[in-house]
Amino acid sequence: MSRTLHVAAAAVAPLCVATFLVSTLAVELLGSAEAIAGVKAAIVTPGLWLLVPAMAALGGSGIRLARTRRDPLVEAKRRRMRLVAANGLLVLVPCALLLDTWASAGRFDTAFFALQGVELLAGSANLALMLSSLRDGRRLAARRRVAAARG
């Protein structure tokens, strides 16, 4: 069960982050103030309500799967996911909440766009880290399949 949960969460979490990034960029370039406010609201609800549990499941299942392993790929995944979690909790969630509040109030000033830039950079960094961990997870799974085939 832990492996299935990990794979599912590993699919959902980066997909959420990528969706947030693409929708933000698209609406900022092409949308109205109302559309921007709508995207910011959707990122918070239901977006964060899907992403945060997926990240918790991903982290918890990853810790469980790797509890006794000291493989360099596992260690790299641990380091990356700590950065992803810290960036998410300390930068991305507060940015999303504040940007939603400002957008719903129609506050599209320099501070809004500066914070939007911070959110886009931090979100892009998190997506890159998550995709690197996904790549390494696939490598670990391939190794496990090869070892099982060898018997």
Side-chain angles (χ1 to χ4, degrees), residues 51 74 107:
L51 176 61
V74 172
R107 181 181 165 188

Side-chain angles (χ1 to χ4, degrees), residues 25-151:
L25 287 170
V27 77
E28 292 287 343
L29 294 173
L30 305 170
S32 64
E34 293 81 23
I36 294 170
V39 166
K40 293 292 146 199
I43 287 172
V44 172
T45 303
L48 291 179
W49 290 98
L50 180 61
L51 176 61
V52 171
M55 289 299 297
L58 183 60
S61 61
I63 288 168
R64 181 169 167 78
L65 288 169
R67 65 185 165 264
T68 60
R69 296 186 66 172
R70 295 293 172 241
D71 184 285
L73 283 179
V74 172
E75 292 301 323
K77 285 173 62 79
R78 279 189 184 112
R79 283 191 301 276
R80 276 194 296 267
M81 293 314 289
R82 285 184 192 121
L83 290 172
V84 168
N87 190 22
L89 291 173
L90 300 175
V91 178
L92 291 170
V93 169
C95 281
L97 296 172
L98 190 54
L99 287 168
D100 176 39
T101 300
W102 287 352
S104 67
R107 181 181 165 188
F108 299 104
D109 57 7
T110 304
F112 178 90
F113 290 106
L115 190 60
Q116 182 67 72
V118 169
E119 184 185 50
L120 289 169
L121 288 173
S124 297
N126 260 17
L127 183 60
L129 291 167
M130 292 166 81
L131 293 175
S132 293
S133 284
L134 182 66
R135 177 202 62 215
D136 287 350
R138 292 178 53 84
R139 287 179 181 163
L140 289 165
R143 283 186 196 169
R144 192 175 55 80
R145 284 190 298 273
V146 167
R150 288 183 186 156

